[in-house]
């Protein structure tokens, strides 16, 4: 008898009909002879709705109370799913994070799971129950409710898989797997049968929104494969797993992108670590998000220092940069908004310069200037003006994948 963890996202439990469909799927699995633990997210849209309710009261809601509020969303789903499973004649029980002691760090709204007490779940499984657990939530060391960050139910699913030593972790969602690029902007992307943990982490970090990054990190650390698949059909999805299980290593596995990026450039900055650290201390003190930092070797004592942030942070970042420029004697500060970052992820180390060349040729032919270009063994990223995104990403996909 295998132990299966199934995690269902918000769209999979959006209404009564969907909850019943999930119940049917879970019950089928149980009747096939497996033990099933189910993790569910709040019904689609509910977490946003709750956040809006909080914002109507306070522009900066107290984080402990926000967690208290957000945790109610997942509780709706577990209770309804337990009822639906019982209607089908199987034993089921729902639990929140308190009841199964999903311990987390203290940081409200962005906590990390540290421990799960599996005794209660194991006892119920032994007693033939299907156990349903709230995703996204935990409790800190003083038993206050915490949440794991948006999309965090995936992480609850994998963490339970690790704690219970499950045979399989399945993450059910509204897409049927990981694609070579976002089907909403790229024509004919292909579904990947398998992808390695590190490639998935790179894709998730550079804009592919399929899995909560921390869930992939956990799977990686404890070597628990994650099967990402659709709750709307029976198709096989994509298995995120150890590199060793992947027969064919691809040069480029996928292309991801991010919208709404912005760039701040300090021109003619004195090339000393002290000055750069002054800049980044100030940026961090002001809570400005920084995606990429680049600094050139420069001519003589001066160089350019730039960083990529988000459009939302642009006004604050440019104001701060101008203030800083005076303090550190920089001749010019420039800012550019509405940019997009495209990242090619794979075993780039096999032919880094070859890939880079092809990317540059495409940009050259289309007359698009890369504002930032970075390359590591796992990925190549370029930052370009957002208006060129669709054209360039499609050309890269067609020519490189
Ligand atoms: N309900 C939470 C959210 O909307 C957690 C999740 O869906 O994984 O972010
Ligand atoms: Mg999700």
């Amino acid at each position: 008898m295998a132990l299966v963890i199934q995690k269902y996202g918000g769209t999979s439990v959006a209404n009564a009909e969907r909850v019943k469909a999930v119940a049917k799927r879970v019950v089928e699995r149980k009747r096939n002879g497996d033990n099933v633990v189910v993790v569910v997210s709040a019904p689609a849209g509910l977490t946003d709705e709750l956040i809006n309710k909080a914002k109507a009261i306070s522009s900066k809601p107290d984080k402990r109370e926000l967690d208290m509020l957000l945790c109610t969303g997942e509780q709706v789903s577990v209770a309804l799913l337990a009822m639906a499973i019982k209607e089908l004649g199987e034993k089921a029980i729902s639990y929140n994070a308190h009841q199964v002691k999903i311990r987390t760090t203290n940081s409200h709204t962005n906590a990390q799971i540290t421990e799960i007490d599996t005794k209660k779940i194991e006892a119920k499984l032994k007693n033939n129950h299907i156990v349903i657990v709230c995703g996204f939530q935990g409790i800190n060391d003083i038993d206050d409710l915490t949440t794991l960050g948006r999309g965090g139910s995936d992480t609850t699913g994998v963490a339970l898989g690790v704690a219970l030593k499950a045979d399989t972790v399945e993450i059910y969602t509204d897409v049927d797997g990981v694609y070579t690029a976002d089907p909403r902007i790229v024509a004919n992307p292909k579904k990947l049968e398998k992808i390695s943990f590190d490639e998935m982490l790179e894709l998730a970090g550079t804009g592919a929104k399929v899995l909560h990054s921390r869930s992939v990190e956990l799977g990686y650390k404890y070597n628990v494969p994650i099967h990402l698949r659709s709750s709307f059909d029976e198709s096989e999805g994509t298995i995120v797993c150890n590199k060793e299980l992947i027969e064919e290593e691809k040069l480029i596995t996928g292309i991801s992108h991010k919208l709404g990026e912005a760039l701040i450039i300090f021109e003619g900055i004195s090339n000393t670590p002290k000055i750069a650290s002054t800049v980044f201390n100030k940026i961090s003190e002001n809570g400005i998000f920084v995606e990429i930092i680049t600094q050139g070797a420069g001519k003589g004592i001066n160089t350019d220092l730039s960083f990529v942030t988000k459009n939302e942070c642009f006004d604050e970042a440019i104001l701060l940069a101008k203030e800083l420029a005076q303090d550190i004697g920089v001749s010019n500060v420039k800012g550019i908004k509405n940019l997009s970052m495209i990242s090619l992820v794979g075993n780039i180390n096999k032919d880094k310069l070859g890939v880079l060349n092809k990317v540059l040729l495409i940009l050259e032919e289309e007359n698009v200037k890369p504002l930032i270009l970075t390359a590591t063994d796992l990925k190549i990223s370029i930052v370009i003006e957002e208006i060129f995104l669709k054209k360039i990403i499609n050309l890269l996909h067609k020519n490189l994948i």
Side-chain angles (χ1 to χ4, degrees), residues 77-300:
S77 298
V78 290
L80 292 176
L81 184 58
M83 292 173 199
I85 290 174
K86 285 177 199 222
E87 282 293 314
L88 297 176
E90 289 294 326
K91 291 203 260 184
I93 184 155
S94 65
Y95 286 126
N96 62 24
H98 222 287
Q99 292 166 302
V100 288
K101 308 281 175 255
I102 301 180
R103 291 282 167 198
T104 69
T105 54
N106 277 319
S107 42
H108 281 292
T109 71
N110 191 27
Q112 295 199 32
I113 297 179
T114 52
E115 208 183 336
I116 301 176
D117 182 0
T118 53
K119 281 197 284 300
K120 207 181 245 174
I121 299 176
E122 280 161 342
K124 285 292 173 188
L125 287 175
K126 223 178 208 156
N127 199 316
N128 236 351
H129 280 74
I130 292 167
V131 179
I132 306 153
V133 182
C134 289
F136 182 53
Q137 54 181 251
I139 49 171
N140 64 14
D141 52 8
I142 51 165
D143 288 354
D144 278 345
L145 285 164
T146 55
T147 60
L148 310 178
R150 297 305 304 269
S153 298
D154 294 345
T155 298
T156 309
V158 178
L160 272 170
V162 172
L164 291 163
K165 300 189 177 63
D167 297 282
T168 324
V169 175
E170 298 175 341
I171 307 248
Y172 288 88
T173 173
D174 51 1
V175 293
D176 61 355
V178 181
Y179 279 76
T180 50
D182 186 340
R184 283 168 301 187
I185 73 158
V186 172
N188 305 316
K190 282 195 272 317
K191 184 160 87 182
L192 298 163
E193 206 180 299
K194 284 179 183 164
I195 182 170
S196 70
F197 287 119
D198 45 11
E199 287 170 332
M200 191 65 236
L201 275 175
E202 290 290 351
L203 282 179
T206 52
K209 291 195 194 76
V210 270
L211 280 169
H212 196 233
S213 288
R214 215 169 281 148
S215 70
V216 186
E217 282 164 17
L218 267 186
Y220 201 174
K221 185 166 172 196
Y222 295 97
N223 198 12
V224 176
I226 303 169
H227 188 175
L228 184 87
R229 57 195 306 193
S230 168
S231 68
F232 291 80
D233 61 45
E234 298 289 329
S235 64
E236 289 290 315
T238 301
I239 298 181
V240 189
C241 60
N242 203 307
K243 238 194 183 83
E244 274 75 67
L245 298 177
I246 297 175
E247 297 80 36
E248 179 205 2
E249 269 198 353
K250 296 192 193 74
L251 180 60
I252 298 167
T253 306
I255 305 184
S256 55
H257 70 279
K258 277 188 179 178
L259 300 167
E261 307 279 282
L263 180 65
I264 308 284
I265 310 162
F266 294 90
E267 288 180 341
I269 190 169
S270 163
N271 190 2
T272 61
K274 175 122 191 9
I275 297 273
S277 85
T278 310
V279 171
F280 289 113
N281 270 336
K282 194 85 179 180
I283 304 273
S284 124
E285 267 167 31
N286 285 272
I288 289 169
F289 173 80
V290 175
E291 182 122 54
I292 304 179
I293 300 168
T294 63
Q295 183 180 330
K299 313 186 205 75

Side-chain angles (χ1 to χ4, degrees), residues 7-11 40-48 51 70 73-74 135-137 147-156 212:
K7 179 260 163 177
Y8 291 90
T11 45
V40 252
S41 297
L46 181 52
T47 306
D48 287 330
I51 290 174
L70 295 191
E74 271 62 22
F136 182 53
Q137 54 181 251
T147 60
L148 310 178
R150 297 305 304 269
S153 298
D154 294 345
T155 298
T156 309
H212 196 233

